[in-house]
Amino acid sequence: MSEAIVDGVRSVLAGRHVVVVGGTSGIGLAVARNVVRSGAEVTLVGRDGDRLRRAADEIGGARQCIGDLHDSAAFPGVFGSLPDIDHLVVTAGTASLKTLRESTAEDLRSTVEERLVGPLSIVRAALDRLRPTGSIVLTSGLLAERPTQRGAILAGAVAAVEAIVRSLALELAPIRVNAVSPGLVDTPLLDSFFGEAKHEALASAAAALPTRRIGRPDDIAQAVGLLLSSGFMTGEVVHVDGGGRLI
């Protein structure tokens, strides 16, 4: 981002309370690091206490809360223990690229729970603590517009997130509701996809992108920073995919 934009993000986020669900690694950790640099107070929410502590130490200190997307009933208690929230960012969620034939009923339920029901339950639980001048940022994904031969249920779930963002922007106004849609980003999540072939797979994917490189967590964090700080953006999906939708 340009210096002017960076300064603008800092001026808007300084002193604000930002909650990042899934802030212990990858994109979520990059978002948390970025908003701390902007002077915000950050609460990290994750399901693993050790990872929470390590992430908080890495970004120079943050409030920590245990919360699991699969246990949505616990989130009212999580948010009830926090001060009022200016911005809520939900980046948590695994990704399954199984075919429909390979997927069990539990696989289907788990994907919808993590990518759709869980984030919605988190938003609902946070509403009483969210300031009306604040915002919510959810996470969709490139599969919403560029499906592949695998992962139909994931494509459907992230596409639903984009539809829900537009609806919630009206329902929850004046709270702003947006989404960021990452393309292929080099995070620990990709290790489970590619294993030892990760380096070659990413090099091949990068060669096909207009940017000629794979995304980094900081790329997505910068876009989230824009959504948090721009008071005139709501109901939007910001695509950060290196041009992946174009190929």
Side-chain angles (χ1 to χ4, degrees):
M1 283 190 286
S2 72
E3 286 301 317
I5 294 175
V6 170
D7 289 342
V9 171
R10 286 173 181 160
S11 66
V12 172
L13 294 183
R16 306 300 185 187
H17 179 206
V18 181
V19 176
V20 183
V21 181
T24 60
S25 67
I27 291 171
L29 180 57
V31 169
R33 186 187 302 116
N34 195 41
V35 296
V36 165
R37 289 172 181 162
S38 300
E41 174 190 353
V42 176
T43 296
L44 300 177
V45 182
R47 60 186 177 184
D48 186 300
D50 290 337
R51 291 177 66 181
L52 276 170
R53 286 187 288 274
R54 287 195 297 270
D57 289 343
E58 180 177 332
I59 65 175
R63 186 182 289 105
Q64 304 157 47
C65 293
I66 296 289
D68 189 338
L69 281 172
H70 289 283
D71 186 16
S72 57
F75 275 92
V78 170
F79 292 121
S81 67
L82 297 177
D84 286 348
I85 300 166
D86 292 290
H87 303 286
L88 171 66
V89 182
V90 183
T91 65
T94 58
S96 173
L97 290 181
K98 292 182 178 180
T99 65
L100 187 59
R101 288 183 181 277
E102 293 169 341
S103 301
T104 64
E106 178 56 32
D107 290 332
L108 302 181
R109 283 193 294 269
S110 179
T111 298
V112 173
E113 179 72 25
E114 290 192 357
R115 289 292 183 168
L116 188 59
V117 178
L120 279 176
S121 298
I122 291 168
V123 170
R124 183 178 61 180
L127 286 178
D128 288 341
R129 306 314 297 264
L130 266 165
R131 299 181 190 274
T133 53
S135 74
I136 298 163
V137 177
L138 302 181
T139 308
S140 61
L142 181 61
L143 286 181
E145 295 199 29
R146 294 288 292 174
T148 65
Q149 292 178 328
R150 307 175 69 87
I153 187 63
L154 178 58
V158 294
V161 168
E162 298 188 0
I164 285 167
V165 158
R166 293 188 285 272
S167 181
L168 288 182
L170 298 174
E171 178 185 339
L172 302 182
I175 294 172
R176 297 182 299 104
V177 186
N178 295 291
V180 62
S181 177
L184 194 58
V185 181
D186 191 359
T187 68
L189 183 62
L190 294 187
D191 296 340
S192 61
F193 288 158
F194 299 119
E196 295 181 357
K198 176 181 173 180
H199 179 76
E200 291 78 8
L202 294 187
S204 175
L209 289 173
T211 55
R212 300 295 189 266
R213 70 170 178 86
I214 296 300
R216 296 184 287 264
D218 281 345
D219 294 320
I220 316 304
Q222 288 180 2
V224 171
L226 174 63
L227 290 172
L228 296 181
S229 61
S230 179
F232 204 51
M233 291 182 72
T234 193
E236 292 295 336
V237 179
V238 175
H239 300 274
V240 192
D241 56 21
R245 290 175 299 135
L246 308 177
I247 61 174

